[in-house]
Amino acid sequence: PEASKAISIKHGLKADGNKTGLDTTKMKPAAEDVSSRQLWGYVERSQDGGQGKTVSGMYSLNTSAPAELELLVGTGKSSFARNGSMQQDGFFYGADADFSTFDDGYVILYGGRYDAQTWEKTDWEQWDYENPNMIALETAQAADGTVYGIFHTQDWSGYEWGTIDYKNWKRTSTIGTASQAYVALGITKENVLYGVAADGNLYSIDTSNGNETKIGSTGLTLLDSEGKTYGQSGEIDQKDNTFFWAAVNSEGEKALYSVNLQTGQACKLGDMNDQVYSLSIPRLTVNDGAPAAATGLDVQIADGGNSGTLVFTAPSKTYGGQDLTGQSLSYKIYLGNQKVASGDNIQPGQTVTASLNDLPEGLAKFYVTTANSAGTSPKAAVEKWIGLDRPNAPTDVRLEIDRSGH
């Protein structure tokens, strides 16, 4: 029985309970206005994908209907961030458990890290084979950076509330015992932890002792006929304490919701095609001493060509508004998340011309960052069509024949 509980985490959390069968047509709005916000999350797609989309990776997600995903970086064949995440110092950390070795007596937990501005994969990697209590079902990050989560117990007998530091790859506290599995967590700016449990209800969780207080039903049935739930996640935007939930109900229907923290009721914001893990609010922080964003971006490529130059003006101020005089800067240019050019020893305010070669045809989005000893600047972006452009297909095409046959 304990083995089945552990293995079920990979594809669905096992928990006790019956289907609630509530009427979701009576759900009330959970927030006044949650449109046009950006979220991040990890999406895993099989090779056949669906609708031709086969790339697993980190995606940005808008909160307007429909809830559309845009790829930030592909993570290849390795899974990433299904079992917890953290943002710190401009990096996005993810943890992912592989239960395929459970019958051999261990589970592999992998930790990886990406630069959250450029989405370059760093060389930081961690592994764990001995500590099930490092494996989270879901996590939430507080305003002070603390990551709270619901974790397996060390003996696989159940779940526990605690905190974790992914950068230093260690559990930092055990708060208390969890009564059941939770599928979505979020924490407010006032440091109140909320969670959607497998029974479909919203709870508040005391971060001092793990006591759970039921608030109300979300209106969704999560447990399937086998007592499992699909992988999903949530997070609270601490600007206004809106709880976003990338939910999957018992029928496998996927949608983005906001959850009312006073009543528990969920309000659908838009349907989705994918399961989203480690739903996150972007926490990009730029050191005040780092350069401000580059300006004057211009891609110069001859019509029909695939090589040319990108011209930009290096910043003359720091992100905090101070002069960069006398500081040498470096720069990197990305096409999507692939680095295509870089350089060193440029001066603040200098006009820089960088060569671009053998670019793929299509609409390209370039990003420029500069850096000094204090850190990396915000990204500046510019779009350009590469290669031969093609006219759109004609519309309103009609064939008219008069009586003379013309």
Side-chain angles (χ1 to χ4, degrees), residues 158-192:
Y159 309 113
E160 64 187 23
W161 298 106
T163 59
I164 192 166
D165 180 351
Y166 286 116
K167 179 180 179 180
N168 292 301
W169 200 240
K170 64 179 182 179
R171 278 285 302 277
T172 48
S173 75
T174 298
I175 295 170
T177 300
S179 65
Q180 60 180 311
Y182 278 69
V183 299
L185 297 180
I187 190 163
T188 68
K189 57 187 175 184
E190 294 83 14
N191 218 51
V192 180

Side-chain angles (χ1 to χ4, degrees), residues 359-380:
L359 300 170
E361 184 175 294
L363 183 61
K365 190 168 188 177
F366 296 92
Y367 299 96
V368 176
T369 63
T370 61
N372 62 6
S373 59
T376 301
S377 73
K379 289 191 294 186

Side-chain angles (χ1 to χ4, degrees), residues 96-320:
D96 199 276
D98 180 359
F99 285 87
S100 65
T101 56
F102 186 87
D103 289 341
D104 296 323
Y106 64 96
V107 172
I108 303 172
L109 182 66
Y110 164 78
R113 184 180 74 175
Y114 287 84
D115 184 310
Q117 280 213 73
T118 64
W119 292 105
E120 279 188 295
K121 193 176 190 304
T122 73
D123 58 4
W124 183 94
E125 288 187 323
Q126 298 288 338
W127 304 88
D128 186 274
Y129 303 85
E130 300 177 346
N131 298 292
N133 67 352
M134 287 279 291
I135 303 172
L137 280 61
E138 166 70 330
T139 57
Q141 188 165 4
D144 66 0
T146 302
V147 177
Y148 293 86
I150 180 170
F151 301 88
H152 287 279
T153 56
Q154 186 66 18
D155 62 2
W156 295 108
S157 63
Y159 309 113
E160 64 187 23
W161 298 106
T163 59
I164 192 166
D165 180 351
Y166 286 116
K167 179 180 179 180
N168 292 301
W169 200 240
K170 64 179 182 179
R171 278 285 302 277
T172 48
S173 75
T174 298
I175 295 170
T177 300
S179 65
Q180 60 180 311
Y182 278 69
V183 299
L185 297 180
I187 190 163
T188 68
K189 57 187 175 184
E190 294 83 14
N191 218 51
V192 180
L193 182 63
Y194 290 90
V196 177
D199 65 6
N201 292 307
L202 177 71
Y203 294 80
S204 63
I205 299 99
D206 191 322
T207 55
S208 66
N209 56 28
N211 288 345
E212 303 163 17
T213 302
K214 180 179 175 180
I215 295 173
S217 174
T218 62
L220 276 70
T221 300
L222 303 178
L223 292 166
D224 65 13
S225 59
E226 297 181 351
K228 297 180 181 180
T229 66
Y230 289 90
Q232 50 201 291
S233 58
E235 188 64 289
I236 288 178
D237 187 343
Q238 291 156 2
K239 291 181 180 178
D240 61 1
N241 288 342
T242 299
F243 192 170
F244 292 101
W245 176 22
V248 188
N249 68 16
S250 60
E251 304 300 320
E253 297 167 337
K254 309 168 188 71
L256 181 66
Y257 291 84
S258 59
V259 182
N260 190 308
L261 298 181
Q262 283 71 50
T263 67
Q265 291 182 337
C267 175
K268 183 187 284 189
L269 303 178
D271 292 316
M272 299 191 301
N273 294 318
D274 296 281
Q275 293 171 251
V276 179
Y277 300 85
S278 286
L279 191 69
S280 305
I281 308 297
R283 292 171 173 254
L284 286 177
T285 56
V286 179
N287 190 309
D288 281 347
T295 58
L297 276 65
D298 182 27
V299 178
Q300 301 173 353
I301 295 177
D303 290 344
N306 67 346
S307 298
T309 60
L310 190 154
V311 179
F312 68 91
T313 301
S316 59
K317 300 280 187 182
T318 67
Y319 185 74

